[in-house]
Amino acid sequence: QVQLVESGGGLVQPGGSLRLSCVVSGVTVDTYTIGWFRQAPGKKFEDREQVSCINRGRRADRSYSDSVKGRFTIDRDNGKNTIYLQMSSLKPEDTGTYYCATAPAGWNTCDYGMDVWGMGTQVTVSS
């Protein structure tokens, strides 16, 4: 049974940094495509935005939404079975609940059909 647990959220001032962690159990992180998503305040869960995605396999292709490109970095630690999202130069519009999720086995995209979701971690960017 696949489970994901996010952590690392909190309150940070604009321009600050946070690192989110997604600990995965039940599968090894390098065999599944995994993404980070965020739900902005007042928005429905189904309107969440894909923030970043890291593909399964050794090549681990990464992708980012235009809104975070150059500021966020997704990475993977196979030994800890954990996916990280390093967030820098944070802006108030980055505020939201951040979720990690796995794609179905064998998939190489986070664009749709994400299979298993964590419970989320809250990020608030405010002065």
Side-chain angles (χ1 to χ4, degrees), residues 20-40:
L20 306 184
S21 300
C22 172
V23 178
V24 181
S25 59
V27 297
T28 51
V29 291
D30 59 343
T31 62
Y32 278 74
T33 293
I34 298 176
W36 282 99
F37 298 76
R38 69 183 175 198
Q39 179 185 3

Side-chain angles (χ1 to χ4, degrees), residues 38 49-53 63-72 91 93-94:
R38 69 183 175 198
E49 173 192 6
Q50 181 188 147
V51 173
S52 184
C53 181
S63 62
Y64 302 91
S65 67
D66 288 342
S67 61
V68 307
K69 202 171 291 183
R71 300 188 297 120
F72 290 13
K91 305 175 181 180
E93 50 264 43
D94 294 317

Side-chain angles (χ1 to χ4, degrees), residues 10-87:
L11 173 64
V12 62
Q13 291 188 341
S17 299
L18 279 176
R19 188 177 78 158
L20 306 184
S21 300
C22 172
V23 178
V24 181
S25 59
V27 297
T28 51
V29 291
D30 59 343
T31 62
Y32 278 74
T33 293
I34 298 176
W36 282 99
F37 298 76
R38 69 183 175 198
Q39 179 185 3
K43 297 277 190 177
K44 297 178 182 178
F45 181 71
E46 50 263 37
D47 295 327
R48 62 199 178 274
E49 173 192 6
Q50 181 188 147
V51 173
S52 184
C53 181
I54 184 166
N55 279 8
R56 65 191 180 97
R58 188 174 295 180
R59 217 169 88 171
D61 290 340
R62 294 157 171 83
S63 62
Y64 302 91
S65 67
D66 288 342
S67 61
V68 307
K69 202 171 291 183
R71 300 188 297 120
F72 290 13
T73 302
I74 190 170
D75 213 345
R76 187 172 76 193
D77 186 328
N78 295 340
K80 295 182 178 180
N81 222 41
T82 299
I83 302 292
Y84 298 101
L85 185 68
Q86 178 67 48
M87 307 187 295

